[in-house]
């Protein structure tokens, strides 16, 4: 099994979700199943069916999270020393050369990516174009409207 990179923050989020599923959600659904069973005939018991479906979802998500955490390579961006190079976990400040708009992105794992929080997946076109670049470099990124050019203004490890 190969390792999957994830930031320290992303790993903590997955651990929190796993803890919540195991200590809160799982016991709640077990109680709901017990209550539905106590109502008698299970063949036409919608509450029982819903609780069993919810239980299947919770158990599947627990297994998925345990698998992801088990194969995760946790990277703390603040401990990186890539000598100014863009690497996984780094935060990159860019300027769009066409519009002069400035943007910042942190390169994270697939499970952590959230464009609203300026976090892009390591597998995204912009992250793939940026990996290995330094401040001052110009990169071309294939976008739906064509190639966009960005200048790397700064690379930070926070």
């Amino acid at each position: 099994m190969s390792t999957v990179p994830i930031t320290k923050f992303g790993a903590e989020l997955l651990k929190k979700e796993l803890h919540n599923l195991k200590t809160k959600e799982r016991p709640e659904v077990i109680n709901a199943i017990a209550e539905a069973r106590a109502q008698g005939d299970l063949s036409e018991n919608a509450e029982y069916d819903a609780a069993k479906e919810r239980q299947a979802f919770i158990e599947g998500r627990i297994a998925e999270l345990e698998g992801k955490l088990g194969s995760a390579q946790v990277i703390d961006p603040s401990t990186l020393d890539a000598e100014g190079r863009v690497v996984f976990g780094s935060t990159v400040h860019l300027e769009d050369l066409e519009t002069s708009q400035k943007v910042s992105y942190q390169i994270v794992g697939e499970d952590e990516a959230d464009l609203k929080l300026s976090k892009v997946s390591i597998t995204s076109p912009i992250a793939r174009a940026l990996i290995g670049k330094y401040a001052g470099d110009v990169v071309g990124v294939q976008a739906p409207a064509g190639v966009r050019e960005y200048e790397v203004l700064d690379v930070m490890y926070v």
Side-chain angles (χ1 to χ4, degrees), residues 81-98:
D81 183 18
E83 300 171 354
R85 190 168 36 106
V86 178
V87 295
F88 179 87
S90 59
T91 299
V92 186
H93 300 288
L94 305 168
E95 181 177 354
D96 186 319
L97 294 180
E98 186 177 317

Side-chain angles (χ1 to χ4, degrees), residues 28-52:
E28 285 177 5
V29 80
I30 289 170
N31 288 337
I33 290 170
E35 288 175 20
R37 266 198 190 123
Q39 294 176 8
D41 185 14
L42 298 180
S43 63
E44 295 180 15
N45 189 328
E47 289 84 11
Y48 178 77
D49 291 340
K52 287 299 280 183

Side-chain angles (χ1 to χ4, degrees), residues 87-127:
V87 295
F88 179 87
S90 59
T91 299
V92 186
H93 300 288
L94 305 168
E95 181 177 354
D96 186 319
L97 294 180
E98 186 177 317
T99 65
S100 297
Q101 181 181 4
K102 291 180 171 58
V103 294
S104 295
Y105 297 114
Q106 182 182 20
I107 300 173
V108 297
E110 289 183 24
D111 292 319
E112 305 171 79
D114 186 347
L115 202 51
K116 291 179 212 134
L117 300 175
S118 297
K119 294 181 178 209
V120 294
S121 168
I122 185 77
T123 60
S124 68
I126 193 160

Side-chain angles (χ1 to χ4, degrees), residues 2 14 17-18 20 27 29 48 51 53-54 72 89 95 120 124-125 134-135 158:
S2 64
L14 291 182
E17 182 183 355
L18 181 61
N20 180 56
V29 80
Y48 178 77
E53 191 173 302
R54 178 81 179 134
E95 181 177 354
V120 294
S124 68
Y134 293 88
V158 290

